[in-house]
């Protein structure tokens, strides 16, 4: 049933004026404390209808964590507390982010890591803005077809075992960020992580469950005796002490990143690779360099977004989508057929560009200027038909593991850090470095191991992201910082979830600035996703009405329901302080003071 007549209002080419008017009239965002009603929507009548459906798994109107001065939100309460500990010692947001990052490597080894990589987006209160790309790179001995067998079939070696890892960037990235923007010593910010590894922490049931879910992977390699003593998963309530990791972290705290890339940790890592048939060498490690980049700066209805440039696709894909959506004012009501259709058609176009054209800027020329231009978006918006799905060729979806992790930090001065880091799959390649005490990533699967064939996220990517030695694999990680229309820090957010990172991060932002939801509601609202291929809209089950799903199918969309989409951790400025909300679909903690 078509609940309402679908009509998109595409802004005409004199839209600059109209947009300005819309902004003035409609986008005076007044962040609300969670114990008051959301601000009346001023974007138009349609946008007041943002109520959750009956039967949706999350309740509307629950409170967020509040911090008067500062806030840290991550997928581990202990890691968030590590960040706050450092803030209270006088550290700034970068100090706290580095503390949280190293603590996550201890308390959230599913995704927190020193054997992986990530992206950090920094916005200092004085207006300086920077992004550090510490993405893994392909080892020098890697080859274009290293994951294709003699019959031309893709193997699982890009996801499991010694060949799946890129050269880790996490230690280089975190230490470099601290050097340039931090105020405390490495030893000071790493102290909580070292303590958690050395003295241990109590395993809870979520930690045990998640380990057990990856039992087959982890027990193939040398982490089995630590995480599955006597063959059984660590019992909830037991204390996990990680001696090897404590030693590695202490070495890094004392000697800096060199301990990891040239010293004894490098020795353990390379010995481990040689034992298992991996190809990462000491030269690979010694060559690793994180890269400072200029964040992509874009605007959406007068708000300013700072997002991640390549080697992540996140910033470009978000910007392109938002630029398309900006042509429609107001957006259709949250959760309506038109809303899902419009987001889908915008995502489809942005992901098509992403999948076909983007890659490591050291190897290919990314058409950044075109993809983030308002005029290009306007031409894409003009292609969208209000009541008919357009098509991209179909094939099967990949399975989505959920083990990247995002954390957001704001300090008392208003400095902000958004960081996303990953091993790619849960526990990465499964390989655990004996002597080093950490899991290795399986990030090589983010390359187009066989251009045109889907990777584990079902992403079909092209030549621009083919494997080349020393190249960074294209990422979807989207650590994002949003300023309000006065240029004041408003939101810090980002997500885990492969390609759903991009869509979920953007949807949480839209929920706040378009639909005027509180942060708690914006995080709990049902999510949807489309990535061009497979040509299927994924929606969270019970989040969208049966009538809406039927209408979408009637328009020619394929729709698939699933439980849970992505893992977002966010901060929003509110009157008198900050709201922090950790992903309600996962674990973690928002700690403010
Ligand atoms: O960089 C990327 O886009 C992926 N390696 C992210 C993987 C991920 O988010 C997995 N977990 N949810």
């Amino acid at each position: 049933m078509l609940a309402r007549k679908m009509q998109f209002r595409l802004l005409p080419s004199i839209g600059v004026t109209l947009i300005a008017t819309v902004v003035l009239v409609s986008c005076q965002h007044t962040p609300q404390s969670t114990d008051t009603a959301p601000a009346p929507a001023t974007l138009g009548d349609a946008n007041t209808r943002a109520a959750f459906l009956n039967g949706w798994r999350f309740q509307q109107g629950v409170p967020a964590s509040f911090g008067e001065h500062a806030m840290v939100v991550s997928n581990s309460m202990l890691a968030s507390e590590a960040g706050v500990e450092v803030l209270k010692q006088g550290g700034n947001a970068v100090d706290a982010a580095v503390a949280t990052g190293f603590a996550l490597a201890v308390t959230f080894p599913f995704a927190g890591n020193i054997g992986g990589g990530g992206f950090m987006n920094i916005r200092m209160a004085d207006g300086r803005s920077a992004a550090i790309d510490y993405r893994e790179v392909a080892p020098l001995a890697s080859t274009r077809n290293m994951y294709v067998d003699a019959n031309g079939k893709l193997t699982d070696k890009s996801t499991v075992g010694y060949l799946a890892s890129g050269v880790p960037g996490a230690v280089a990235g975190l230490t470099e960020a601290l050097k340039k923007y931090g105020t405390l010593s490495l030893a000071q910010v790493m102290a909580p992580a070292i303590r958690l590894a050395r003295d241990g922490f109590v395993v809870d049931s979520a930690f045990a469950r998640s380990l057990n879910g990856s039992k087959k992977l982890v027990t193939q390699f040398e982490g089995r005796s630590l995480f599955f003593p006597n063959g059984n998963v660590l019992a909830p309530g037991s204390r996990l002490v990680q001696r090897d990791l404590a030693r590695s972290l202490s070495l890094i705290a004392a000697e800096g990143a060199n301990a990891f890339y040239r010293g004894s940790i490098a020795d353990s890592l390379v010995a481990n690779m040689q034992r298992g048939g991996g190809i990462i060498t000491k030269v690979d490690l010694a060559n690793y360099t994180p890269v400072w980049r200029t964040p992509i700066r874009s605007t959406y209805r007068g708000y300013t977004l700072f997002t991640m440039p390549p080697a992540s696709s996140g910033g470009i894909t978000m910007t392109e989508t938002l630029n398309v959506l900006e042509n429609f004012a107001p957006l259709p009501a949250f959760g309506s057929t038109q809303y899902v259709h419009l987001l889908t058609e915008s995502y489809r176009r942005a992901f098509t560009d992403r999948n076909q054209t983007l890659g490591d800027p050291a190897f290919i020329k990314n058409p950044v200027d075109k993809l983030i231009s308002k005029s290009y978006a306007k031409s894409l918006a003009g292609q969208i038909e209000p009541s008919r799905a357009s098509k991209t060729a179909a094939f099967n979806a990949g399975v989505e593991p959920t083990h990247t992790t995002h954390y957001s930090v704001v300090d008392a001065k208003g400095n902000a850090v958004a960081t996303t880091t990953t091993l790619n799959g849960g526990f990465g390649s499964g390989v655990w470095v004996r002597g080093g005490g950490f899991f290795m990533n399986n990030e090589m699967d983010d390359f187009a191991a066989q251009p045109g064939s889907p990777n584990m996220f079902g992403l079909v990517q092209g030549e621009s992201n083919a494997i080349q030695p020393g190249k960074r694999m294209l990422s979807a990680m989207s650590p994002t910082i949003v300023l309000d229309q006065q240029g004041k820090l408003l939101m810090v957010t980002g997500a885990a979830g492969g390609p759903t990172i991009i869509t979920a991060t953007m949807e949480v932002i839209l929920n706040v600035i378009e639909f005027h939801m509180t942060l708690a509601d914006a995080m709990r609202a049902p999510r949807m996703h489309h990535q061009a291929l497979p040509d299927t809209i994924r929606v969270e089950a019970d989040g969208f009405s049966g009538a809406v799903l039927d209408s979408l199918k009637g328009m020619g969309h394929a729709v698939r329901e699933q439980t849970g989409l992505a893992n977002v951790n966010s901060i929003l400025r509110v009157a008198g302080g900050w709201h922090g909300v950790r992903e309600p679909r996962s674990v973690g903690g928002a700690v403010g003071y």
Side-chain angles (χ1 to χ4, degrees):
M1 179 194 86
L2 272 179
R4 305 169 67 218
K5 205 167 156 217
M6 276 164 289
Q7 268 182 350
F8 287 145
R9 228 169 349 121
L10 188 58
L11 292 173
S13 54
I14 46 156
V16 181
T17 329
L18 287 182
I19 290 171
T21 312
V22 169
V23 166
L24 278 177
V25 173
S26 66
C27 289
Q28 290 153 4
H29 173 77
T30 324
Q32 296 291 300
S33 110
T34 43
D35 44 16
T36 59
T42 47
L43 278 166
D45 196 33
N47 294 310
T48 60
R49 295 190 210 121
F52 296 177
L53 279 188
N54 278 340
W56 172 235
R57 59 194 286 210
F58 295 115
Q59 207 190 327
Q60 204 157 8
V62 300
S65 299
F66 177 78
E68 188 184 342
H69 305 288
M71 179 65 69
V72 182
V73 189
S74 80
N75 283 123
S76 158
M77 180 63 94
L78 292 168
S80 298
E81 285 169 357
V84 169
E85 180 181 324
V86 161
L87 287 175
K88 286 186 173 167
Q89 285 166 9
N92 69 10
V94 176
D95 295 312
V98 174
T100 302
F102 279 113
L104 281 165
V106 181
T107 60
F108 195 66
F110 327 101
N113 65 80
I114 57 173
F119 297 89
M120 182 183 285
N121 189 350
I122 300 171
R123 168 87 186 167
M124 302 302 281
D126 62 12
R128 280 176 298 159
S129 182
I132 183 161
D133 170 340
Y134 53 97
R135 182 68 158 167
E136 300 89 331
V137 299
L140 290 173
S142 60
T143 58
R144 180 189 163 89
N145 292 321
M146 62 191 280
Y147 303 117
V148 182
D149 69 16
N151 300 319
K153 287 240 159 7
L154 267 181
T155 65
D156 70 354
K157 289 191 165 44
S158 66
T159 59
V160 180
Y162 294 86
L163 278 179
S165 302
V167 183
V171 174
L174 292 176
T175 53
E176 173 66 20
L178 186 77
K179 209 178 291 168
K180 189 143 180 210
Y181 287 95
T183 61
L184 302 181
S185 70
L186 194 52
Q188 281 172 299
V189 301
M190 291 186 71
I194 294 170
R195 197 176 61 228
L196 286 162
R198 186 194 57 216
D199 301 345
F201 62 91
V202 176
V203 169
D204 62 18
S205 51
F207 187 100
R209 230 186 354 260
S210 143
L211 258 177
N212 222 16
S214 297
K215 182 171 184 179
K216 195 161 153 251
L217 177 70
V218 172
T219 54
Q220 286 175 57
F221 303 102
E222 297 181 69
R224 76 178 77 79
S225 54
L226 179 64
F227 296 107
F228 293 86
N230 311 315
N232 295 321
V233 72
L234 289 166
S238 63
R239 182 167 283 271
L240 173 60
V241 172
Q242 300 177 75
R243 286 198 185 81
D244 284 357
L245 184 55
R247 190 177 334 108
S248 292
L249 294 173
S250 302
L251 282 169
I252 295 166
E255 298 168 17
N258 256 341
F260 189 92
Y261 292 95
R262 294 188 164 85
S264 68
I265 306 171
D267 294 341
S268 301
L269 198 163
V270 170
N272 177 283
M273 284 286 141
Q274 286 169 352
R275 276 199 300 279
I279 55 173
I280 294 179
T281 63
K282 288 220 174 145
V283 176
D284 281 314
L285 290 168
N287 280 352
Y288 185 84
T289 327
V291 184
W292 285 104
R293 303 196 189 276
T294 305
I296 291 184
R297 184 181 179 285
S298 61
T299 57
Y300 178 76
R301 305 208 205 278
Y303 293 83
T304 303
L305 282 85
F306 291 90
T307 55
M308 197 52 61
S312 179
S313 63
I316 291 176
T317 314
M318 273 176 64
T319 301
E320 188 176 331
T321 310
L322 288 170
N323 282 347
V324 173
L325 293 177
E326 207 177 35
N327 287 278
F328 300 88
L331 285 191
F334 179 85
S336 65
T337 304
Q338 301 97 312
Y339 169 82
V340 179
H341 174 64
L342 178 58
L343 258 63
T344 296
E345 294 300 326
S346 309
Y347 288 155
R348 180 199 308 284
R349 285 160 177 80
F351 270 92
T352 298
D353 287 335
R354 174 213 185 272
N355 299 344
Q356 286 172 6
T357 62
L358 301 184
D360 181 350
F363 286 75
I364 65 139
K365 182 150 177 32
N366 291 296
V368 183
D369 291 345
K370 173 187 165 191
L371 297 187
I372 66 171
S373 79
K374 300 273 187 198
S375 57
Y376 178 59
K378 188 166 188 308
S379 71
L380 295 180
Q383 297 167 2
I384 298 176
E385 294 186 46
S387 54
R388 205 157 62 90
S390 43
K391 278 280 163 254
T392 32
F395 74 96
N396 285 334
V399 178
E400 181 198 332
T402 53
H403 294 301
T404 297
T405 190
H406 173 84
Y407 51 101
S408 297
V409 181
V410 172
D411 69 19
K413 292 205 167 74
N415 300 309
V417 178
T419 308
T420 315
T421 181
T422 190
L423 291 167
N424 198 23
F427 303 101
S429 63
V431 170
W432 184 82
V433 177
R434 195 196 325 149
F438 57 92
F439 286 100
M440 289 294 290
N441 67 83
N442 58 351
E443 220 72 63
M444 291 295 283
D445 191 68
D446 274 351
F447 278 117
Q450 194 173 44
S453 298
N455 73 356
M456 72 167 159
F457 299 110
L459 278 173
V460 178
Q461 305 173 98
E463 285 299 327
S464 49
N465 190 30
I467 301 174
Q468 286 175 266
K471 187 175 178 183
R472 285 163 149 80
M473 54 297 280
L474 187 64
S475 174
M477 290 189 269
S478 309
T480 300
I481 295 173
V482 184
L483 311 185
D484 68 12
Q485 292 150 315
Q486 285 70 43
K488 238 177 121 186
L489 179 64
L490 179 69
M491 274 183 93
V492 185
T493 186
T500 68
I501 288 174
I502 298 171
T503 48
T505 302
M506 214 168 57
E507 286 170 31
V508 170
I509 295 171
L510 283 176
N511 290 346
V512 170
I513 67 183
E514 280 276 358
F515 299 109
H516 294 235
M517 293 186 200
T518 63
L519 186 63
D521 285 353
M523 292 282 289
R524 283 173 174 76
R527 298 175 187 158
M528 55 159 291
H529 175 75
H530 194 284
Q531 60 186 45
L533 289 174
D535 191 352
T536 301
I537 307 175
R538 285 154 62 185
V539 294
E540 286 194 285
D542 304 324
F544 298 86
S545 77
V548 164
L549 301 187
D550 286 347
S551 311
L552 290 163
K553 288 174 195 162
M555 293 163 79
H557 289 290
V559 180
R560 183 157 71 88
E561 294 185 82
Q562 66 179 73
T563 305
L565 258 177
N567 183 334
V568 188
N569 287 310
S570 308
I571 298 175
L572 175 71
R573 196 186 79 236
V574 294
W578 304 96
H579 273 174
V581 180
R582 61 96 168 157
E583 175 56 62
R585 295 154 186 78
S586 180
V587 292
V591 183
Y593 76 92

